[in-house]
Amino acid sequence: MFILASSSPRRQALLKTLIDQFAIVKPEVDESSLQVSPSQTPLQEAKMKAYAVLNDHPDDEVLACDTVVILHNRVLGKPKDEEEAFSMLKAQAGQKQVVVSGYCYIGQGKEITRSVRTYVYFHKLSDEQIKEYIEKFRPLDKAGAYGIQDDYPLIEKIEGSYHNVMGLPVEDLKAHVFTHRK
């Protein structure tokens, strides 16, 4: 059985583009124990999640992924409220950030761990635009307080994988995991 170690609906939808059937197992891990650089955080968290699920499912294939938004070497997580979402979006307006996803696949006698980077360039945004976006899209469940898939002109351009910014680097997984599965 193939297991996605994530409860993210966006990751589930993206994984369905690569594999028809898989199970969902939400990993129980303490991510606060990690002491690594922002760019290493997603890869280390993905490994923690994959091995946590593998412990209970040792004969299955497990894929875990974690994504962070990094602005000026600071991780922007999920905002706790609308005020924090506003602050995050205001800080990102007119700026370039990097979205890093780390994934860990364990199965068929191998482990594949990789990080994927996408550079995201935000438009300059007025306070009114930021408030409108928050009201319309309620981005409290999204790292960096935004979803690239939302129909709103936040993003000027990206360099890299669009799917990576959504939370699962589909193209990299296809090249490095799914072309080698039996």
Side-chain angles (χ1 to χ4, degrees):
M1 174 172 55
F2 193 98
I3 298 172
L4 175 63
S6 174
S7 58
S8 163
R10 288 174 292 281
R11 283 197 183 101
Q12 293 170 29
L14 289 169
L15 185 58
K16 284 181 183 173
T17 68
L18 296 172
I19 186 170
D20 292 329
Q21 294 185 340
F22 55 90
I24 306 295
V25 177
K26 185 174 190 236
E28 298 297 327
V29 296
D30 178 14
E31 298 171 356
S32 67
S33 64
L34 283 177
Q35 300 295 321
V36 294
S37 70
S39 63
Q40 286 296 309
T41 298
L43 187 62
Q44 295 306 314
E45 287 183 0
K47 285 180 79 166
M48 284 176 64
K49 292 174 183 179
Y51 278 99
V53 171
L54 188 69
N55 283 336
D56 294 331
H57 303 273
D59 298 324
D60 295 318
E61 295 175 86
V62 177
L63 174 66
C65 184
D66 197 75
T67 302
V68 297
V69 174
I70 303 171
L71 178 68
H72 306 305
N73 206 35
R74 190 177 124 233
V75 173
L76 300 180
K78 296 175 184 174
K80 66 180 181 299
D81 55 29
E82 289 184 11
E83 187 177 308
E84 188 174 29
F86 182 88
S87 294
M88 284 184 186
L89 290 167
K90 181 111 174 136
Q92 294 172 89
Q95 299 292 310
K96 171 185 166 184
Q97 62 174 238
V98 62
V99 175
V100 181
S101 290
Y103 68 82
C104 179
Y105 164 83
I106 307 167
Q108 301 182 346
K110 62 185 157 203
E111 175 187 311
I112 300 170
T113 55
R114 292 182 52 81
S115 285
V116 178
R117 293 174 176 264
T118 301
Y119 296 94
V120 178
Y121 298 80
F122 266 68
H123 284 292
K124 292 181 179 171
L125 302 167
S126 68
D127 288 359
E128 292 75 28
Q129 287 174 304
I130 295 170
K131 288 175 189 172
E132 180 183 64
Y133 174 78
I134 292 169
E135 187 175 303
K136 184 174 182 181
F137 291 100
R138 315 296 299 162
L140 302 183
D141 66 334
K142 297 177 177 102
Y146 75 95
I148 194 166
Q149 69 277 11
D150 295 340
D151 186 22
Y152 198 87
L154 294 176
I155 310 302
E156 180 182 333
K157 68 176 181 172
I158 69 168
E159 294 172 357
S161 167
Y162 176 87
H163 295 119
N164 185 48
V165 181
M166 284 183 69
L168 192 71
V170 172
E171 302 86 354
D172 201 84
L173 282 164
K174 188 174 185 179
H176 296 281
V177 173
F178 286 91
T179 58
H180 304 295
R181 287 183 70 236
K182 294 175 185 164

